[in-house]
Amino acid sequence: MIATGNDEYSTSLAQRIGQFIIDADANSGRSKQKAIGPSEVGEPCERQLSYKMLDWPETNTDRDPIAAIIGTGFHLWMGEKFEARNAALGGDRYKVEKRLTVRDSPIEAARLTGSADLYDRLIAANLDWKLVGISSHDKYRRQGPGERYRIQAHLYGLGQENAGEHVDRVVVVFIARHHELKVHVWSEPYNRQIALDALARLDRIRDRVQALEVDLHPERWAQIPIPEKPNCKFCPWLKPGSTDLSLGCPGANAQPVTHGFESLVA
């Protein structure tokens, strides 16, 4: 947090307002979410997912919340405007911010639910809003959405299908946080198998971390891999310089030794 003012009083007030924003975000429903959601299933880093599955204590707790807060406000605004459009049309063309069951299961850990931003019955498409920085907007325009967002899109397609809707396409709408409106749309035909494969991968990772019993054998965290080029900056379990993965992950630039332990799970 950067807090400044034109005098001592103003600087103190800026610090209190900033801390209020940080504390309010930390106590929000989004921040308190413990179960893995559709937006996380496609995370390439198995170690990050494993930490999440075990509700492991976070180490990277100084993350700036303002981008997520602005994104939440934008989602609320878009939802309000599409509800108003539904009313103006006198029908139910749009499903706005509806809770979906992507996979139901008597096993709580295997259940997957989430809120889809928008489903448009006229074009049979599920749309997901992503409010991003200008450099990220340019990256997604040039390189596509990446596997995490792509998988999330198809998981929501599966959720809409489970809710009785016909889904032709899944759509990710990238809108830049910029001084001028920049909108980039990525879409492709809905493919149920992409969602099912992602769920199967999630199950394999869960089985692996349970078999390793890292709570009893913390040295076995080293057997859970990270990608060759992980995106560590915003990982809740990033701890630069860590040599003990039970206390946090050092990230991409430092790999702790495995101490010769052999993998328990292929």
Side-chain angles (χ1 to χ4, degrees), residues 71-119:
T72 298
F74 177 78
H75 277 72
L76 291 172
W77 186 85
M78 289 290 277
E80 177 185 309
K81 297 309 174 186
F82 273 99
E83 290 286 17
R85 183 166 176 78
N86 252 348
L89 293 172
D92 59 351
R93 171 177 170 176
Y94 303 107
K95 287 173 60 178
V96 182
E97 293 287 347
K98 295 298 183 184
R99 197 74 182 167
L100 298 174
T101 298
V102 177
R103 179 171 67 178
D104 201 3
S105 173
I107 303 171
E108 185 176 357
R111 197 175 303 131
L112 185 67
T113 62
S115 293
D117 294 339
L118 186 76
Y119 174 74

mmCIF file of all heavy atoms in Angstrom, residues 71-119:
data_model
loop_
_atom_site.group_PDB
_atom_site.id
_atom_site.type_symbol
_atom_site.label_atom_id
_atom_site.label_comp_id
_atom_site.label_asym_id
_atom_site.label_seq_id
_atom_site.Cartn_x
_atom_site.Cartn_y
_atom_site.Cartn_z
ATOM 1 N N GLY A 71 -12.229 -5.158 -10.155
ATOM 2 C CA GLY A 71 -12.869 -6.189 -10.970
ATOM 3 C C GLY A 71 -14.216 -6.608 -10.424
ATOM 4 O O GLY A 71 -15.183 -6.799 -11.174
ATOM 5 N N THR A 72 -14.317 -6.734 -9.096
ATOM 6 C CA THR A 72 -15.597 -7.091 -8.469
ATOM 7 C C THR A 72 -16.642 -6.025 -8.747
ATOM 8 O O THR A 72 -17.795 -6.326 -9.090
ATOM 9 C CB THR A 72 -15.409 -7.270 -6.956
ATOM 10 O OG1 THR A 72 -14.499 -8.346 -6.717
ATOM 11 C CG2 THR A 72 -16.744 -7.583 -6.274
ATOM 12 N N GLY A 73 -16.236 -4.749 -8.616
ATOM 13 C CA GLY A 73 -17.176 -3.660 -8.899
ATOM 14 C C GLY A 73 -17.635 -3.676 -10.343
ATOM 15 O O GLY A 73 -18.817 -3.439 -10.637
ATOM 16 N N PHE A 74 -16.726 -3.977 -11.273
ATOM 17 C CA PHE A 74 -17.099 -4.031 -12.689
ATOM 18 C C PHE A 74 -18.083 -5.163 -12.947
ATOM 19 O O PHE A 74 -19.061 -4.996 -13.688
ATOM 20 C CB PHE A 74 -15.844 -4.219 -13.540
ATOM 21 C CG PHE A 74 -16.135 -4.346 -15.002
ATOM 22 C CD1 PHE A 74 -16.420 -3.234 -15.769
ATOM 23 C CD2 PHE A 74 -16.140 -5.595 -15.616
ATOM 24 C CE1 PHE A 74 -16.702 -3.350 -17.118
ATOM 25 C CE2 PHE A 74 -16.423 -5.725 -16.964
ATOM 26 C CZ PHE A 74 -16.704 -4.599 -17.722
ATOM 27 N N HIS A 75 -17.855 -6.320 -12.324
ATOM 28 C CA HIS A 75 -18.783 -7.443 -12.489
ATOM 29 C C HIS A 75 -20.175 -7.073 -11.982
ATOM 30 O O HIS A 75 -21.192 -7.413 -12.608
ATOM 31 C CB HIS A 75 -18.261 -8.663 -11.735
ATOM 32 C CG HIS A 75 -17.242 -9.459 -12.500
ATOM 33 N ND1 HIS A 75 -15.971 -9.008 -12.721
ATOM 34 C CD2 HIS A 75 -17.318 -10.690 -13.088
ATOM 35 C CE1 HIS A 75 -15.299 -9.920 -13.424
ATOM 36 N NE2 HIS A 75 -16.092 -10.934 -13.655
ATOM 37 N N LEU A 76 -20.243 -6.401 -10.847
ATOM 38 C CA LEU A 76 -21.542 -5.985 -10.307
ATOM 39 C C LEU A 76 -22.240 -5.022 -11.267
ATOM 40 O O LEU A 76 -23.448 -5.124 -11.502
ATOM 41 C CB LEU A 76 -21.356 -5.329 -8.934
ATOM 42 C CG LEU A 76 -20.926 -6.258 -7.798
ATOM 43 C CD1 LEU A 76 -20.582 -5.445 -6.552
ATOM 44 C CD2 LEU A 76 -22.023 -7.271 -7.474
ATOM 45 N N TRP A 77 -21.482 -4.098 -11.837
ATOM 46 C CA TRP A 77 -22.044 -3.122 -12.771
ATOM 47 C C TRP A 77 -22.574 -3.816 -14.029
ATOM 48 O O TRP A 77 -23.688 -3.531 -14.484
ATOM 49 C CB TRP A 77 -20.966 -2.100 -13.139
ATOM 50 C CG TRP A 77 -21.463 -0.964 -13.978
ATOM 51 C CD1 TRP A 77 -22.047 0.196 -13.560
ATOM 52 C CD2 TRP A 77 -21.411 -0.885 -15.418
ATOM 53 N NE1 TRP A 77 -22.360 1.000 -14.631
ATOM 54 C CE2 TRP A 77 -21.983 0.358 -15.787
ATOM 55 C CE3 TRP A 77 -20.929 -1.733 -16.412
ATOM 56 C CZ2 TRP A 77 -22.086 0.768 -17.113
ATOM 57 C CZ3 TRP A 77 -21.040 -1.327 -17.735
ATOM 58 C CH2 TRP A 77 -21.605 -0.099 -18.082
ATOM 59 N N MET A 78 -21.794 -4.740 -14.577
ATOM 60 C CA MET A 78 -22.231 -5.463 -15.769
ATOM 61 C C MET A 78 -23.479 -6.297 -15.477
ATOM 62 O O MET A 78 -24.409 -6.360 -16.291
ATOM 63 C CB MET A 78 -21.103 -6.356 -16.287
ATOM 64 C CG MET A 78 -19.941 -5.592 -16.905
ATOM 65 S SD MET A 78 -20.360 -4.810 -18.486
ATOM 66 C CE MET A 78 -20.144 -6.184 -19.620
ATOM 67 N N GLY A 79 -23.499 -6.931 -14.308
ATOM 68 C CA GLY A 79 -24.670 -7.717 -13.940
ATOM 69 C C GLY A 79 -25.915 -6.855 -13.854
ATOM 70 O O GLY A 79 -26.994 -7.229 -14.353
ATOM 71 N N GLU A 80 -25.784 -5.704 -13.247
ATOM 72 C CA GLU A 80 -26.920 -4.781 -13.126
ATOM 73 C C GLU A 80 -27.425 -4.344 -14.499
ATOM 74 O O GLU A 80 -28.634 -4.297 -14.744
ATOM 75 C CB GLU A 80 -26.479 -3.567 -12.310
ATOM 76 C CG GLU A 80 -27.525 -2.490 -12.151
ATOM 77 C CD GLU A 80 -26.968 -1.270 -11.443
ATOM 78 O OE1 GLU A 80 -26.368 -1.445 -10.361
ATOM 79 O OE2 GLU A 80 -27.124 -0.147 -11.969
ATOM 80 N N LYS A 81 -26.504 -4.048 -15.415
ATOM 81 C CA LYS A 81 -26.904 -3.567 -16.738
ATOM 82 C C LYS A 81 -27.566 -4.669 -17.568
ATOM 83 O O LYS A 81 -28.509 -4.411 -18.327
ATOM 84 C CB LYS A 81 -25.688 -2.994 -17.474
ATOM 85 C CG LYS A 81 -25.065 -1.786 -16.790
ATOM 86 C CD LYS A 81 -26.097 -0.717 -16.459
ATOM 87 C CE LYS A 81 -25.510 0.415 -15.650
ATOM 88 N NZ LYS A 81 -26.553 1.384 -15.212
ATOM 89 N N PHE A 82 -27.094 -5.898 -17.449
ATOM 90 C CA PHE A 82 -27.729 -6.983 -18.203
ATOM 91 C C PHE A 82 -29.075 -7.386 -17.594
ATOM 92 O O PHE A 82 -29.981 -7.806 -18.317
ATOM 93 C CB PHE A 82 -26.784 -8.178 -18.317
ATOM 94 C CG PHE A 82 -25.865 -8.083 -19.504
ATOM 95 C CD1 PHE A 82 -24.557 -7.633 -19.356
ATOM 96 C CD2 PHE A 82 -26.310 -8.411 -20.778
ATOM 97 C CE1 PHE A 82 -23.709 -7.523 -20.447
ATOM 98 C CE2 PHE A 82 -25.472 -8.309 -21.883
ATOM 99 C CZ PHE A 82 -24.162 -7.852 -21.727
ATOM 100 N N GLU A 83 -29.225 -7.259 -16.289
ATOM 101 C CA GLU A 83 -30.546 -7.480 -15.677
ATOM 102 C C GLU A 83 -31.527 -6.431 -16.193
ATOM 103 O O GLU A 83 -32.693 -6.736 -16.488
ATOM 104 C CB GLU A 83 -30.442 -7.417 -14.152
ATOM 105 C CG GLU A 83 -29.702 -8.580 -13.514
ATOM 106 C CD GLU A 83 -30.486 -9.884 -13.499
ATOM 107 O OE1 GLU A 83 -31.478 -10.014 -14.256
ATOM 108 O OE2 GLU A 83 -30.082 -10.784 -12.752
ATOM 109 N N ALA A 84 -31.054 -5.190 -16.300
ATOM 110 C CA ALA A 84 -31.910 -4.133 -16.825
ATOM 111 C C ALA A 84 -32.273 -4.401 -18.290
ATOM 112 O O ALA A 84 -33.403 -4.145 -18.720
ATOM 113 C CB ALA A 84 -31.206 -2.784 -16.689
ATOM 114 N N ARG A 85 -31.323 -4.935 -19.041
ATOM 115 C CA ARG A 85 -31.609 -5.257 -20.448
ATOM 116 C C ARG A 85 -32.624 -6.387 -20.546
ATOM 117 O O ARG A 85 -33.514 -6.369 -21.412
ATOM 118 C CB ARG A 85 -30.313 -5.631 -21.161
ATOM 119 C CG ARG A 85 -30.495 -5.902 -22.647
ATOM 120 C CD ARG A 85 -29.157 -5.930 -23.364
ATOM 121 N NE ARG A 85 -29.307 -6.283 -24.769
ATOM 122 C CZ ARG A 85 -29.711 -5.468 -25.728
ATOM 123 N NH1 ARG A 85 -30.014 -4.218 -25.431
ATOM 124 N NH2 ARG A 85 -29.813 -5.867 -26.984
ATOM 125 N N ASN A 86 -32.520 -7.372 -19.670
ATOM 126 C CA ASN A 86 -33.520 -8.432 -19.618
ATOM 127 C C ASN A 86 -34.908 -7.844 -19.407
ATOM 128 O O ASN A 86 -35.884 -8.210 -20.078
ATOM 129 C CB ASN A 86 -33.201 -9.399 -18.471
ATOM 130 C CG ASN A 86 -32.682 -10.733 -18.964
ATOM 131 O OD1 ASN A 86 -32.744 -11.060 -20.146
ATOM 132 N ND2 ASN A 86 -32.152 -11.527 -18.045
ATOM 133 N N ALA A 87 -35.008 -6.926 -18.436
ATOM 134 C CA ALA A 87 -36.300 -6.310 -18.124
ATOM 135 C C ALA A 87 -36.824 -5.517 -19.323
ATOM 136 O O ALA A 87 -38.030 -5.544 -19.633
ATOM 137 C CB ALA A 87 -36.164 -5.412 -16.895
ATOM 138 N N ALA A 88 -35.926 -4.804 -20.007
ATOM 139 C CA ALA A 88 -36.344 -4.006 -21.158
ATOM 140 C C ALA A 88 -36.839 -4.885 -22.298
ATOM 141 O O ALA A 88 -37.756 -4.511 -23.033
ATOM 142 C CB ALA A 88 -35.179 -3.129 -21.619
ATOM 143 N N LEU A 89 -36.228 -6.062 -22.435
ATOM 144 C CA LEU A 89 -36.628 -6.989 -23.488
ATOM 145 C C LEU A 89 -37.883 -7.767 -23.124
ATOM 146 O O LEU A 89 -38.491 -8.423 -23.973
ATOM 147 C CB LEU A 89 -35.485 -7.968 -23.786
ATOM 148 C CG LEU A 89 -34.220 -7.375 -24.415
ATOM 149 C CD1 LEU A 89 -33.108 -8.420 -24.481
ATOM 150 C CD2 LEU A 89 -34.509 -6.820 -25.801
ATOM 151 N N GLY A 90 -38.259 -7.715 -21.858
ATOM 152 C CA GLY A 90 -39.455 -8.413 -21.402
ATOM 153 C C GLY A 90 -39.331 -9.912 -21.434
ATOM 154 O O GLY A 90 -40.308 -10.633 -21.632
ATOM 155 N N GLY A 91 -38.109 -10.424 -21.211
ATOM 156 C CA GLY A 91 -37.907 -11.865 -21.253
ATOM 157 C C GLY A 91 -36.763 -12.298 -20.370
ATOM 158 O O GLY A 91 -36.379 -11.598 -19.437
ATOM 159 N N ASP A 92 -36.217 -13.472 -20.690
ATOM 160 C CA ASP A 92 -35.112 -14.005 -19.894
ATOM 161 C C ASP A 92 -33.982 -14.469 -20.813
ATOM 162 O O ASP A 92 -33.440 -15.564 -20.659
ATOM 163 C CB ASP A 92 -35.600 -15.145 -19.000
ATOM 164 C CG ASP A 92 -36.204 -16.300 -19.799
ATOM 165 O OD1 ASP A 92 -36.398 -16.136 -21.023
ATOM 166 O OD2 ASP A 92 -36.461 -17.350 -19.193
ATOM 167 N N ARG A 93 -33.635 -13.606 -21.749
ATOM 168 C CA ARG A 93 -32.558 -13.956 -22.683
ATOM 169 C C ARG A 93 -31.255 -14.226 -21.932
ATOM 170 O O ARG A 93 -30.531 -15.151 -22.262
ATOM 171 C CB ARG A 93 -32.363 -12.826 -23.688
ATOM 172 C CG ARG A 93 -31.113 -13.018 -24.549
ATOM 173 C CD ARG A 93 -30.948 -11.929 -25.590
ATOM 174 N NE ARG A 93 -29.631 -12.015 -26.227
ATOM 175 C CZ ARG A 93 -29.226 -11.242 -27.227
ATOM 176 N NH1 ARG A 93 -30.052 -10.316 -27.709
ATOM 177 N NH2 ARG A 93 -28.022 -11.385 -27.736
ATOM 178 N N TYR A 94 -30.985 -13.428 -20.909
ATOM 179 C CA TYR A 94 -29.713 -13.520 -20.204
ATOM 180 C C TYR A 94 -29.862 -14.169 -18.831
ATOM 181 O O TYR A 94 -30.786 -13.839 -18.082
ATOM 182 C CB TYR A 94 -29.103 -12.129 -20.018
ATOM 183 C CG TYR A 94 -28.885 -11.368 -21.298
ATOM 184 C CD1 TYR A 94 -29.709 -10.291 -21.638
ATOM 185 C CD2 TYR A 94 -27.866 -11.720 -22.182
ATOM 186 C CE1 TYR A 94 -29.512 -9.582 -22.814
ATOM 187 C CE2 TYR A 94 -27.666 -11.021 -23.362
ATOM 188 C CZ TYR A 94 -28.494 -9.954 -23.671
ATOM 189 O OH TYR A 94 -28.302 -9.256 -24.832
ATOM 190 N N LYS A 95 -28.973 -15.066 -18.520
ATOM 191 C CA LYS A 95 -28.799 -15.550 -17.150
ATOM 192 C C LYS A 95 -27.604 -14.808 -16.576
ATOM 193 O O LYS A 95 -26.495 -14.922 -17.089
ATOM 194 C CB LYS A 95 -28.534 -17.057 -17.132
ATOM 195 C CG LYS A 95 -29.741 -17.919 -17.434
ATOM 196 C CD LYS A 95 -29.353 -19.386 -17.560
ATOM 197 C CE LYS A 95 -28.733 -19.939 -16.301
ATOM 198 N NZ LYS A 95 -28.416 -21.392 -16.432
ATOM 199 N N VAL A 96 -27.851 -14.060 -15.514
ATOM 200 C CA VAL A 96 -26.820 -13.169 -14.982
ATOM 201 C C VAL A 96 -26.350 -13.658 -13.609
ATOM 202 O O VAL A 96 -27.162 -13.831 -12.697
ATOM 203 C CB VAL A 96 -27.357 -11.728 -14.873
ATOM 204 C CG1 VAL A 96 -26.267 -10.796 -14.360
ATOM 205 C CG2 VAL A 96 -27.892 -11.248 -16.214
ATOM 206 N N GLU A 97 -25.033 -13.896 -13.489
ATOM 207 C CA GLU A 97 -24.429 -14.268 -12.196
ATOM 208 C C GLU A 97 -25.191 -15.417 -11.517
ATOM 209 O O GLU A 97 -25.555 -15.332 -10.348
ATOM 210 C CB GLU A 97 -24.358 -13.057 -11.266
ATOM 211 C CG GLU A 97 -23.407 -11.974 -11.717
ATOM 212 C CD GLU A 97 -21.938 -12.346 -11.535
ATOM 213 O OE1 GLU A 97 -21.647 -13.340 -10.838
ATOM 214 O OE2 GLU A 97 -21.080 -11.628 -12.085
ATOM 215 N N LYS A 98 -25.423 -16.473 -12.262
ATOM 216 C CA LYS A 98 -26.148 -17.620 -11.730
ATOM 217 C C LYS A 98 -25.177 -18.666 -11.178
ATOM 218 O O LYS A 98 -24.158 -18.982 -11.790
ATOM 219 C CB LYS A 98 -27.027 -18.266 -12.807
ATOM 220 C CG LYS A 98 -28.158 -17.369 -13.295
ATOM 221 C CD LYS A 98 -29.118 -17.011 -12.172
ATOM 222 C CE LYS A 98 -30.286 -16.182 -12.697
ATOM 223 N NZ LYS A 98 -31.186 -15.754 -11.612
ATOM 224 N N ARG A 99 -25.527 -19.208 -10.027
ATOM 225 C CA ARG A 99 -24.713 -20.254 -9.413
ATOM 226 C C ARG A 99 -24.905 -21.551 -10.192
ATOM 227 O O ARG A 99 -26.044 -21.952 -10.495
ATOM 228 C CB ARG A 99 -25.138 -20.453 -7.963
ATOM 229 C CG ARG A 99 -24.130 -21.210 -7.107
ATOM 230 C CD ARG A 99 -22.959 -20.342 -6.777
ATOM 231 N NE ARG A 99 -21.945 -21.075 -5.999
ATOM 232 C CZ ARG A 99 -20.735 -20.617 -5.804
ATOM 233 N NH1 ARG A 99 -20.374 -19.445 -6.297
ATOM 234 N NH2 ARG A 99 -19.861 -21.313 -5.101
ATOM 235 N N LEU A 100 -23.798 -22.202 -10.523
ATOM 236 C CA LEU A 100 -23.842 -23.427 -11.316
ATOM 237 C C LEU A 100 -23.137 -24.558 -10.576
ATOM 238 O O LEU A 100 -22.178 -24.336 -9.847
ATOM 239 C CB LEU A 100 -23.137 -23.217 -12.660
ATOM 240 C CG LEU A 100 -23.705 -22.169 -13.611
ATOM 241 C CD1 LEU A 100 -22.773 -22.016 -14.809
ATOM 242 C CD2 LEU A 100 -25.105 -22.529 -14.058
ATOM 243 N N THR A 101 -23.627 -25.758 -10.810
ATOM 244 C CA THR A 101 -22.939 -26.954 -10.329
ATOM 245 C C THR A 101 -22.201 -27.560 -11.512
ATOM 246 O O THR A 101 -22.809 -28.104 -12.429
ATOM 247 C CB THR A 101 -23.931 -27.967 -9.738
ATOM 248 O OG1 THR A 101 -24.587 -27.390 -8.609
ATOM 249 C CG2 THR A 101 -23.205 -29.233 -9.300
ATOM 250 N N VAL A 102 -20.885 -27.423 -11.490
ATOM 251 C CA VAL A 102 -20.074 -27.974 -12.565
ATOM 252 C C VAL A 102 -19.947 -29.483 -12.389
ATOM 253 O O VAL A 102 -20.031 -30.246 -13.347
ATOM 254 C CB VAL A 102 -18.683 -27.316 -12.575
ATOM 255 C CG1 VAL A 102 -17.793 -27.941 -13.658
ATOM 256 C CG2 VAL A 102 -18.816 -25.814 -12.801
ATOM 257 N N ARG A 103 -19.762 -29.916 -11.149
ATOM 258 C CA ARG A 103 -19.740 -31.344 -10.842
ATOM 259 C C ARG A 103 -20.321 -31.546 -9.451
ATOM 260 O O ARG A 103 -19.866 -30.940 -8.493
ATOM 261 C CB ARG A 103 -18.318 -31.917 -10.902
ATOM 262 C CG ARG A 103 -18.280 -33.408 -10.549
ATOM 263 C CD ARG A 103 -16.938 -34.046 -10.812
ATOM 264 N NE ARG A 103 -15.885 -33.556 -9.936
ATOM 265 C CZ ARG A 103 -14.631 -34.009 -9.960
ATOM 266 N NH1 ARG A 103 -14.264 -34.943 -10.824
ATOM 267 N NH2 ARG A 103 -13.712 -33.528 -9.140
ATOM 268 N N ASP A 104 -21.324 -32.382 -9.365
ATOM 269 C CA ASP A 104 -21.895 -32.725 -8.072
ATOM 270 C C ASP A 104 -21.259 -34.019 -7.584
ATOM 271 O O ASP A 104 -20.834 -34.855 -8.379
ATOM 272 C CB ASP A 104 -23.412 -32.894 -8.179
ATOM 273 C CG ASP A 104 -24.096 -32.739 -6.829
ATOM 274 O OD1 ASP A 104 -23.390 -32.450 -5.839
ATOM 275 O OD2 ASP A 104 -25.325 -32.908 -6.749
ATOM 276 N N SER A 105 -21.185 -34.148 -6.274
ATOM 277 C CA SER A 105 -20.569 -35.351 -5.710
ATOM 278 C C SER A 105 -20.936 -35.442 -4.239
ATOM 279 O O SER A 105 -21.031 -34.415 -3.554
ATOM 280 C CB SER A 105 -19.049 -35.297 -5.860
ATOM 281 O OG SER A 105 -18.431 -36.373 -5.171
ATOM 282 N N PRO A 106 -21.154 -36.677 -3.733
ATOM 283 C CA PRO A 106 -21.357 -36.831 -2.290
ATOM 284 C C PRO A 106 -20.089 -36.509 -1.499
ATOM 285 O O PRO A 106 -20.145 -36.268 -0.297
ATOM 286 C CB PRO A 106 -21.754 -38.299 -2.140
ATOM 287 C CG PRO A 106 -21.196 -38.977 -3.365
ATOM 288 C CD PRO A 106 -21.269 -37.951 -4.444
ATOM 289 N N ILE A 107 -18.942 -36.512 -2.184
ATOM 290 C CA ILE A 107 -17.669 -36.152 -1.555
ATOM 291 C C ILE A 107 -17.479 -34.651 -1.714
ATOM 292 O O ILE A 107 -17.357 -34.144 -2.836
ATOM 293 C CB ILE A 107 -16.498 -36.909 -2.199
ATOM 294 C CG1 ILE A 107 -16.736 -38.421 -2.120
ATOM 295 C CG2 ILE A 107 -15.184 -36.529 -1.541
ATOM 296 C CD1 ILE A 107 -15.748 -39.229 -2.915
ATOM 297 N N GLU A 108 -17.463 -33.943 -0.609
ATOM 298 C CA GLU A 108 -17.417 -32.480 -0.671
ATOM 299 C C GLU A 108 -16.224 -31.968 -1.459
ATOM 300 O O GLU A 108 -16.331 -31.016 -2.240
ATOM 301 C CB GLU A 108 -17.405 -31.900 0.741
ATOM 302 C CG GLU A 108 -17.470 -30.383 0.775
ATOM 303 C CD GLU A 108 -17.551 -29.831 2.181
ATOM 304 O OE1 GLU A 108 -17.606 -30.636 3.139
ATOM 305 O OE2 GLU A 108 -17.548 -28.594 2.329
ATOM 306 N N ALA A 109 -15.067 -32.576 -1.278
ATOM 307 C CA ALA A 109 -13.863 -32.107 -1.951
ATOM 308 C C ALA A 109 -13.946 -32.246 -3.464
ATOM 309 O O ALA A 109 -13.261 -31.529 -4.195
ATOM 310 C CB ALA A 109 -12.647 -32.867 -1.429
ATOM 311 N N ALA A 110 -14.760 -33.163 -3.948
ATOM 312 C CA ALA A 110 -14.880 -33.393 -5.384
ATOM 313 C C ALA A 110 -15.963 -32.532 -6.028
ATOM 314 O O ALA A 110 -16.041 -32.446 -7.252
ATOM 315 C CB ALA A 110 -15.173 -34.867 -5.661
ATOM 316 N N ARG A 111 -16.772 -31.870 -5.204
ATOM 317 C CA ARG A 111 -17.854 -31.034 -5.721
ATOM 318 C C ARG A 111 -17.270 -29.735 -6.261
ATOM 319 O O ARG A 111 -16.355 -29.163 -5.679
ATOM 320 C CB ARG A 111 -18.859 -30.754 -4.608
ATOM 321 C CG ARG A 111 -20.224 -30.246 -5.066
ATOM 322 C CD ARG A 111 -21.157 -30.128 -3.871
ATOM 323 N NE ARG A 111 -21.289 -31.393 -3.168
ATOM 324 C CZ ARG A 111 -21.170 -31.540 -1.854
ATOM 325 N NH1 ARG A 111 -20.907 -30.501 -1.085
ATOM 326 N NH2 ARG A 111 -21.322 -32.733 -1.318
ATOM 327 N N LEU A 112 -17.808 -29.259 -7.379
ATOM 328 C CA LEU A 112 -17.314 -28.019 -7.960
ATOM 329 C C LEU A 112 -18.486 -27.140 -8.375
ATOM 330 O O LEU A 112 -19.324 -27.549 -9.183
ATOM 331 C CB LEU A 112 -16.426 -28.309 -9.175
ATOM 332 C CG LEU A 112 -15.750 -27.084 -9.805
ATOM 333 C CD1 LEU A 112 -14.720 -26.485 -8.853
ATOM 334 C CD2 LEU A 112 -15.100 -27.447 -11.131
ATOM 335 N N THR A 113 -18.554 -25.959 -7.789
ATOM 336 C CA THR A 113 -19.604 -25.001 -8.121
ATOM 337 C C THR A 113 -18.974 -23.642 -8.384
ATOM 338 O O THR A 113 -17.821 -23.388 -8.033
ATOM 339 C CB THR A 113 -20.624 -24.867 -6.977
ATOM 340 O OG1 THR A 113 -19.960 -24.361 -5.804
ATOM 341 C CG2 THR A 113 -21.272 -26.209 -6.656
ATOM 342 N N GLY A 114 -19.737 -22.769 -8.999
ATOM 343 C CA GLY A 114 -19.246 -21.419 -9.256
ATOM 344 C C GLY A 114 -20.339 -20.554 -9.840
ATOM 345 O O GLY A 114 -21.402 -21.054 -10.221
ATOM 346 N N SER A 115 -20.087 -19.253 -9.903
ATOM 347 C CA SER A 115 -21.048 -18.301 -10.469
ATOM 348 C C SER A 115 -20.574 -17.858 -11.844
ATOM 349 O O SER A 115 -19.483 -17.293 -11.971
ATOM 350 C CB SER A 115 -21.198 -17.085 -9.555
ATOM 351 O OG SER A 115 -21.809 -17.437 -8.341
ATOM 352 N N ALA A 116 -21.384 -18.133 -12.854
ATOM 353 C CA ALA A 116 -21.049 -17.726 -14.216
ATOM 354 C C ALA A 116 -21.500 -16.286 -14.433
ATOM 355 O O ALA A 116 -22.593 -15.898 -14.020
ATOM 356 C CB ALA A 116 -21.726 -18.653 -15.219
ATOM 357 N N ASP A 117 -20.678 -15.495 -15.096
ATOM 358 C CA ASP A 117 -20.993 -14.082 -15.278
ATOM 359 C C ASP A 117 -22.242 -13.885 -16.126
ATOM 360 O O ASP A 117 -23.149 -13.135 -15.746
ATOM 361 C CB ASP A 117 -19.802 -13.356 -15.928
ATOM 362 C CG ASP A 117 -18.589 -13.315 -15.015
ATOM 363 O OD1 ASP A 117 -18.763 -13.472 -13.789
ATOM 364 O OD2 ASP A 117 -17.468 -13.137 -15.522
ATOM 365 N N LEU A 118 -22.298 -14.538 -17.293
ATOM 366 C CA LEU A 118 -23.423 -14.301 -18.191
ATOM 367 C C LEU A 118 -23.599 -15.481 -19.146
ATOM 368 O O LEU A 118 -22.621 -15.975 -19.717
ATOM 369 C CB LEU A 118 -23.183 -13.025 -19.014
ATOM 370 C CG LEU A 118 -24.353 -12.575 -19.901
ATOM 371 C CD1 LEU A 118 -25.442 -11.932 -19.050
ATOM 372 C CD2 LEU A 118 -23.880 -11.595 -20.975
ATOM 373 N N TYR A 119 -24.842 -15.906 -19.299
ATOM 374 C CA TYR A 119 -25.171 -16.864 -20.356
ATOM 375 C C TYR A 119 -26.212 -16.202 -21.244
ATOM 376 O O TYR A 119 -27.230 -15.683 -20.758
ATOM 377 C CB TYR A 119 -25.728 -18.165 -19.786
ATOM 378 C CG TYR A 119 -26.204 -19.119 -20.856
ATOM 379 C CD1 TYR A 119 -25.300 -19.827 -21.636
ATOM 380 C CD2 TYR A 119 -27.565 -19.279 -21.125
ATOM 381 C CE1 TYR A 119 -25.726 -20.680 -22.638
ATOM 382 C CE2 TYR A 119 -28.007 -20.131 -22.118
ATOM 383 C CZ TYR A 119 -27.078 -20.826 -22.876
ATOM 384 O OH TYR A 119 -27.508 -21.665 -23.876
#
